[in-house]
Amino acid sequence: MTLESKIPSGPMDKKWSKHKFDLKLVAPANKRKHTILVVGTGLAGASAAATLGELGYNVKAFFFHDSPRRAHSIAAQGGINAAKNYQNDGDSVHRLFYDTVKGGDFRAREANVHRLAEVSVNIIDQCVAQGVPFAREYGGELANRSFGGAQVSRTFYARGQTGQQLLLGAYSSMMRQVDNGKVQLFPRREMLDVVVIDGVARGVVCRNLVTGEFESYAGDAVLLCTGGYGNVFYLSTNAKNCNVTAAWRAVKRGAFFANPCFTQIHPTCIPQSGEYQSKLTLMSESLRNDGRVWVPLRKGDTRSAREIPESERDYFLERRYPSFGNLVPRDVASRASKAVCDEGRGVGPTGLAVYLDFADAIGRDGETTIRQKYGNLFQMYAKITDDNPYEVPMRIYPAVHYTMGGLWVDYNLESTVPGLFVLGEANFSDHGANRLGASALMQGLADGYFIVPYTVGSHIAGRKLDKVTTDHPAFADAERSCREMTTRLLGVQGTRSVDSFHRELGMTLWNNCGMARNDEGLRSARGKIRELRDAFWKDVRVTGKGQELNQTLEHAGRLADFLEFAELLVVDAAERKESCGGHFREEYQTEEGEAMRDDKNFQYVAAWEFKGVGEDPALHKEPLEFEEVHPSQRSYK
Amino acid sequence: MSESINVTLKVWRQSGPGEPGRFETYPLENVSTHASFLEMLDILNQKLTNTGKEPVAFDSDCREGICGSCGLMVDGQAHGPDTETATCQLHMRRFSDGDTITIEPWRARPFPVLKDLVVDRSAFDRIVEAGGYNSINAGNAPDANAILIPKDRAEAAMDAAACIGCGACVAACKNASAMLFVSAKVMHFARLPQGDPERTTRVSRMVAQMDEEGFGSCTNTTECEAACPKGISFSNIVELRREFVRAQVTGRTSR
Ligand SMILES: Cc1cc2nc3c(=O)[nH]c(=O)nc-3n(C[C@H](O)[C@H](O)[C@H](O)COP(=O)(O)OP(=O)(O)OC[C@H]3O[C@@H](n4cnc5c(N)ncnc54)[C@H](O)[C@@H]3O)c2cc1C
Ligand code: SF4
Ligand code: FES
């Protein structure tokens, strides 16, 4: 099978308008005859469900949470980018496009990124109209800040709760369509299979997490908006229940998984404090606008931060990257922090931390200003660590945060299974090998409000879709395989908890496929993952029954998928013999320790086809071409 | 401060909706004071699993006080003893060696228990469905800076919009009133010009839905404000009443 990206012809800045015109339309009166199944109600899913409902489709929305408003998007802190150029500082659609392609280390599709930058401006309009209370200036206009190394101020924010406010906006629009009878909600449902009939995605099977029943739903298109897979590492900044299950089950039905090794490690997270740690907490990137990152010059310096004089501190980001300083992109900052800790200059009880110091900013702007900007983040930090960051520097360390990889989609956001669309963090689309700060929220909402509503229409109008009901035998088959898996999990009756297996998987990946990777480590990780998977199926203990609310069973199912998916992750990392973005291969670096990309051999998207558990997956390459932004070595010096 | 403590947990166990429940007592030793309250429950669950017993079901997701999933009565207080703190942000350093800690689900008729500490809060979604939105279709919006909003108005709207929908206000109220939650949503919109066109129908419909769900009337004792992890102010309730009366007097109250 050849991958068809379906990138429209014509000049970069006309492609999307041309494509919108070329897409087939569904007549208004016909829309109500079609049902669209949306899985996930984060930014991507809620915005898609709302918009499709507004257009007149019947939408069924599934999510494992008790309310759509709890999706992981709610936790995003820092902000959302848009090329509004309200600050008159030289921003434009082209600049946002350029920054995103470059920031992604030339591993994203140009046409997709350009479209994202184009619609970014509409997103902000939409959100403001919904009542999203973005930060404002005294004159009443919207405020912006510079974020994640951007040299223009294009980030819109609502205190440190931007994701919450954007999700509440999308959720309220979706609830309006529930009110109008166009969207039907299915809370506490976990999608466990995609039903493919005559080669087209026509339904899903869910487990009702309250009763344990399996339920089938038929429709004319399936949208997966199920988020990222960062929790394969166990410890990450993601919410506890984020998982790869929906995407992985789709892979088993023929969807390809693209660039799984492109994972993002965020430099500013609260370090792990003990064995019992259940997740890691992000400290927003915006803090690096005012905080200065440093470690002691001397190894093993045990003095407290304030006792170390200026001359004995190493502001290593400012030193190594004089022009970007503390604002270098995430991958660069994370690796630099790891490097100083590896040299033995890390701070705190574990030595796995660096300081993020606000003393200069407080001295310059006063505590009140700093409190206004970051009050809730400082409070969050104080609650977790019991330290007062107004007085002592924060201690931070990198942690798994975001996954650029995801299900492969074409320009229409359609996977290799016709009728199966993938939105938001769950697809691989726009961020290449490294995502810029404040761009995930933008992408999720772009996909849901402004892209998929057009492209789904073309699928429905353009393909002959026979009427399908859940009486079709494919549904019974899918339900049976879901039920079998549950029975199998409950039947092992071993001795080890699900959580302990998950922690071990996480450690294996973090040590071998985290901030630095090498061939030997990746090979041994693959072996360990296989052993762990075997051990899991021999010795896991899943308590309780299938026909009830059973959180252990839910976790076990998700971990079973992670254990299969993890192998693909390391296979992809081993195959990509170059360093780019978040993927750093120790064998491929410059003398100064910077990433060395290999455009000659690896300027492609790696899309993997599933061939069976434990079998080698098949690699399909989508070559990447750059018409507008010419690949160059990223330099933040 | 000692680094680890021994505690005794009294935990509400209930096998399913409508089933009778009971307290079970579990001693737990050597809990790090740096662990969060939910990590302490993770440790308990690990221990229960190791001995072949069923772990305690409780909801949580973000574990950083923003998703609103968690919510436990800890020693009779919604979200526990700290102010402006969700259960997931509570840490064991708040407790002392030898403490007995009682853990219960939210207790309110409109929030039925599904299992152990997990409750059904879908009533909140139905209240939002009854007008807790601005009617604007995607693609229809004017430029974001077309309507200027004074900074203090935007900030006041944000204060109300910060609600995480956890339900602690209901759990803390002896009448199980949802007034704080509803007032936060109503006032978020009422403080913004974009909320104006539907201002009267919104408040009337949301309040009607709140009543229909079986939430009680406000006791005016501000227990809700004290329990709220996001510091939603009781003054929202005062303003909600004004909005409601204004709607009755002047406006359309239904669609
Ligand atoms: C702490 C943190 C801070 C961040 N801050 C920012 C920021 O400032 N700016 C920015 O741009 N990005 C930020 N990000 C990234 C961004 O928040 C996410 O990438 C984005 O919100 C993902 O949205 P989504 O809609 O794709 O998925 P999610 O919001 O994760 O939603 C997934 C949905 O899928 C459902 N689901 C999943 N699996 C199933 C299944 N099998 N069956 C049924 N339902 C299922 C869930 O219930 C949920 O509704 C941050 C991320 C983190 C972790
Ligand atoms: S008002 Fe406060 S207590 Fe009530 S639901 Fe909102 S955040 Fe929770
Ligand atoms: S788990 Fe999200 S608020 Fe507590």
Side-chain angles (χ1 to χ4, degrees):
Chain A
M1 147 157 211
T2 48
L3 291 168
E4 263 191 80
S5 60
K6 302 203 177 133
I7 297 171
S9 58
M12 192 60 68
D13 58 352
K14 301 281 182 316
K15 284 183 195 292
W16 177 230
S17 338
K18 174 179 178 296
H19 192 65
K20 277 196 287 188
F21 183 76
D22 291 342
L23 286 170
K24 297 197 176 65
L25 298 174
V26 182
N30 284 338
K31 290 201 179 93
R32 71 174 112 83
K33 297 181 193 150
H34 294 281
T35 298
I36 297 172
L37 308 176
V38 178
V39 188
T41 57
L43 286 180
S47 58
T51 310
L52 292 166
E54 288 160 10
L55 289 170
Y57 294 104
N58 300 308
V59 178
K60 291 190 162 83
F62 308 88
F63 44 98
F64 63 68
H65 291 93
D66 69 325
S67 164
R69 64 181 294 158
R70 313 226 192 271
H72 168 58
S73 295
I74 202 91
Q77 302 169 352
I80 176 167
N81 286 331
K84 281 286 199 185
N85 193 29
Y86 282 157
Q87 305 308 320
N88 196 26
D89 58 358
D91 199 12
S92 60
V93 166
H94 191 78
R95 190 177 295 281
L96 176 54
F97 158 68
Y98 177 92
D99 288 353
T100 309
V101 172
K102 179 184 171 208
D105 219 357
F106 304 94
R107 291 294 173 264
R109 221 185 256 149
E110 272 191 332
N112 285 54
V113 177
H114 200 281
R115 171 177 66 185
L116 175 65
E118 285 172 48
V119 303
S120 69
V121 296
N122 306 106
I123 294 173
I124 302 303
D125 299 343
Q126 181 63 23
C127 296
V128 166
Q130 285 169 340
V132 171
F134 284 122
R136 295 195 174 250
E137 305 292 353
Y138 285 103
E141 69 279 26
L142 289 156
N144 289 117
R145 61 181 166 209
S146 140
F147 197 76
Q151 293 187 309
V152 291
S153 290
R154 63 160 75 101
T155 303
F156 295 78
Y157 60 100
R159 294 195 188 141
Q161 290 127 278
T162 316
Q164 179 198 27
Q165 294 309 313
L166 296 175
L167 182 59
L168 293 181
Y171 159 74
S172 68
S173 283
M174 181 171 72
M175 294 313 283
R176 171 172 165 243
Q177 293 311 315
V178 175
D179 198 14
N180 288 344
K182 296 309 296 179
V183 174
Q184 215 184 334
L185 298 184
F186 295 86
R188 295 197 195 264
R189 301 297 200 292
E190 182 151 60
M191 189 216 90
L192 295 177
D193 213 346
V194 180
V195 180
V196 181
I197 296 172
D198 299 331
V200 180
R202 296 304 300 270
V204 295
V205 171
C206 297
R207 181 169 177 270
N208 180 324
L209 300 181
V210 178
T211 64
E213 297 293 333
F214 292 94
E215 303 170 346
S216 285
Y217 301 91
D220 301 299
V222 177
L223 275 49
L224 293 189
C225 317
T226 46
Y229 52 84
N231 279 351
V232 68
F233 289 85
Y234 189 78
L235 286 182
S236 84
T237 62
N238 289 12
K240 280 292 284 173
N241 300 312
C242 293
N243 66 82
V244 80
T245 287
W248 190 244
R249 305 284 170 107
V251 164
K252 291 184 160 178
R253 295 286 177 190
F256 290 2
F257 208 104
N259 300 335
C261 79
F262 289 165
T263 51
Q264 178 166 80
I265 307 222
H266 198 295
T268 56
C269 303
I270 301 180
Q272 184 173 355
S273 75
E275 286 291 300
Y276 46 80
Q277 191 92 24
S278 59
K279 69 157 295 203
L280 296 168
T281 302
L282 174 75
M283 284 286 102
S284 168
E285 182 144 56
S286 59
L287 293 170
R288 282 199 279 148
N289 284 337
D290 283 300
R292 296 179 70 194
V293 177
W294 65 276
V295 289
L297 263 179
R298 200 156 45 77
K299 252 199 224 181
D301 191 334
T302 53
R303 288 174 293 176
S304 73
R306 289 285 168 258
E307 283 166 0
I308 302 178
E310 264 320 291
S311 61
E312 293 175 45
R313 298 175 177 191
D314 179 11
Y315 293 90
F316 57 92
L317 291 178
E318 297 169 23
R319 172 173 56 79
R320 281 180 68 175
Y321 307 100
S323 66
F324 279 69
N326 293 297
L327 293 175
V328 288
R330 293 174 177 178
D331 52 336
V332 178
S334 292
R335 273 199 298 282
S337 301
K338 177 179 188 297
V340 294
C341 293
D342 288 350
E343 286 166 25
R345 297 196 286 142
V347 299
T350 58
L352 291 177
V354 301
Y355 289 125
L356 179 63
D357 198 338
F358 294 88
D360 287 353
I362 292 174
R364 184 184 65 226
D365 302 336
E367 192 175 313
T368 320
T369 306
I370 296 301
R371 195 179 288 278
Q372 265 172 6
K373 280 195 189 166
Y374 310 114
N376 67 319
L377 297 171
F378 276 43
Q379 186 205 28
M380 196 192 256
Y381 182 85
K383 269 189 189 149
I384 293 174
T385 62
D386 211 21
D387 275 345
N388 177 356
Y390 293 99
E391 279 163 16
V392 296
M394 288 183 177
R395 281 199 300 259
I396 53 162
Y397 197 66
V400 174
H401 177 59
Y402 181 85
T403 54
M404 283 74 67
L407 292 178
W408 184 89
V409 288
D410 63 16
Y411 189 73
N412 293 326
L413 304 183
E414 193 170 23
S415 70
T416 44
V417 178
L420 180 69
F421 293 78
V422 192
L423 286 66
E425 193 174 338
N427 72 25
F428 87 105
S429 67
D430 302 349
H431 308 292
N434 174 55
R435 175 176 70 80
L436 292 180
S439 287
L441 303 180
M442 169 172 75
Q443 183 227 327
L445 292 179
D447 290 359
Y449 286 133
F450 297 113
I451 299 170
V452 108
Y454 289 92
T455 58
V456 162
S458 195
H459 152 70
I460 286 175
R463 290 198 178 107
K464 201 180 141 300
L465 297 173
D466 292 330
K467 194 160 170 50
V468 161
T469 68
T470 53
D471 294 334
H472 192 286
F475 283 93
D477 281 351
E479 277 195 31
R480 190 175 322 115
S481 80
C482 295
R483 194 171 294 116
E484 272 166 17
M485 174 140 175
T486 300
T487 313
R488 211 176 136 206
L489 285 168
L490 287 164
V492 179
Q493 295 286 338
T495 60
R496 258 184 87 178
S497 72
V498 179
D499 219 51
S500 77
F501 280 108
H502 198 167
R503 277 179 201 271
E504 192 174 337
L505 173 67
M507 280 305 280
T508 305
L509 284 178
W510 178 247
N511 291 336
N512 298 295
C513 197
M515 268 185 287
R517 305 156 176 193
N518 63 51
D519 193 61
E520 199 193 321
L522 291 167
R523 274 171 209 286
S524 89
R526 187 173 185 190
K528 277 192 203 142
I529 292 164
R530 290 176 168 212
E531 284 167 26
L532 196 62
R533 193 167 60 221
D534 290 342
F536 172 85
W537 283 108
K538 284 204 189 82
D539 198 24
V540 71
R541 170 179 275 170
V542 183
T543 49
K545 301 189 290 284
Q547 303 289 91
E548 62 175 358
L549 194 159
N550 185 340
Q551 292 172 329
T552 312
L553 178 62
E554 291 164 28
H555 189 185
R558 291 169 191 165
L559 179 60
D561 291 330
F562 273 142
L563 283 164
E564 292 177 8
F565 168 72
E567 193 176 341
L568 183 67
L569 179 65
V570 298
V571 166
D572 185 46
E575 180 70 27
R576 192 168 279 279
K577 297 181 180 59
E578 64 162 350
S579 294
C580 60
H583 172 65
F584 189 75
R585 285 283 301 261
E586 287 170 333
E587 305 96 313
Y588 310 102
Q589 54 179 311
T590 65
E591 271 175 22
E592 291 143 324
E594 304 297 337
M596 225 160 57
R597 233 178 39 228
D598 178 355
D599 291 337
K600 206 165 136 266
N601 295 303
F602 291 95
Q603 193 168 296
Y604 61 74
V605 176
W608 296 93
E609 181 182 4
F610 179 75
K611 291 287 186 187
V613 179
E615 302 295 323
D616 283 335
L619 173 62
H620 301 261
K621 296 179 185 175
E622 179 198 336
L624 291 167
E625 276 149 41
F626 294 90
E627 294 170 24
E628 297 277 324
V629 191
H630 288 288
S632 56
Q633 200 67 40
R634 285 194 308 164
S635 170
Y636 297 93
K637 293 253 169 208
Chain B
M1 188 175 67
S2 81
E3 292 282 301
S4 71
I5 54 176
N6 299 336
V7 290
T8 303
L9 305 174
K10 278 179 67 187
V11 185
W12 183 259
R13 304 297 313 251
Q14 180 174 334
S15 62
E19 302 288 328
R22 69 201 177 280
F23 282 104
E24 293 275 350
T25 304
Y26 306 105
L28 204 57
E29 278 153 23
N30 286 324
V31 181
S32 164
T33 52
H34 296 300
S36 74
F37 195 80
L38 297 186
E39 284 167 348
M40 181 276 291
L41 286 179
D42 292 340
I43 297 170
L44 170 70
N45 279 344
Q46 178 71 44
K47 207 176 124 184
L48 290 174
T49 308
N50 289 346
T51 52
K53 296 203 186 90
E54 252 200 81
V56 179
F58 64 93
D59 267 334
S60 80
D61 201 20
C62 74
R63 297 210 173 183
E64 50 189 62
I66 192 72
C67 73
S69 297
C70 66
L72 302 174
M73 292 303 266
V74 179
D75 288 335
Q77 282 178 291
H79 288 308
D82 285 353
T83 52
E84 293 194 27
T85 301
T87 309
C88 59
Q89 296 171 294
L90 184 62
H91 278 71
M92 293 311 289
R93 62 179 80 93
R94 192 67 177 69
F95 298 88
S96 311
D97 193 42
D99 276 359
T100 296
I101 310 171
T102 306
I103 308 171
E104 296 168 81
W106 286 168
R107 305 241 187 237
R109 198 158 41 87
F111 291 164
V113 173
L114 295 177
K115 186 174 183 176
D116 297 339
L117 306 173
V118 178
V119 300
D120 177 1
R121 287 168 290 196
S122 53
F124 271 10
D125 287 326
R126 290 187 293 273
I127 294 175
V128 173
E129 180 190 330
Y133 51 73
N134 284 343
S135 295
I136 175 86
N137 285 357
N140 250 339
D143 184 84
N145 260 344
I147 304 175
L148 299 179
I149 306 177
K151 189 179 168 72
D152 53 351
R153 239 179 115 174
E155 294 290 326
M158 179 65 211
D159 287 341
C163 162
I164 58 174
C166 62
C169 45
V170 174
C173 176
K174 77 175 163 40
N175 282 1
S177 165
M179 281 288 267
L180 194 63
F181 168 78
V182 175
S183 69
K185 196 77 271 169
V186 167
M187 293 317 299
H188 157 208
F189 287 113
R191 287 171 188 150
L192 294 170
Q194 286 84 0
D196 268 345
E198 293 163 291
R199 193 162 168 175
T200 51
T201 46
R202 180 181 303 114
V203 64
S204 310
R205 289 189 65 211
M206 288 181 76
V207 167
Q209 188 65 35
M210 170 181 84
D211 292 341
E212 190 168 313
E213 297 290 343
F215 292 101
S217 56
C218 178
T219 57
N220 289 311
T221 51
T222 69
E223 289 292 339
C224 52
E225 184 187 72
C228 175
K230 292 292 135 182
I232 304 293
S233 158
F234 186 80
S235 64
N236 286 295
I237 296 186
V238 178
E239 287 190 61
L240 169 76
R241 293 197 177 112
R242 228 177 281 148
E243 286 291 309
F244 186 73
V245 171
R246 185 170 160 273
Q248 302 302 309
V249 176
T250 62
R252 283 200 312 144
T253 54
S254 63
R255 293 197 305 172

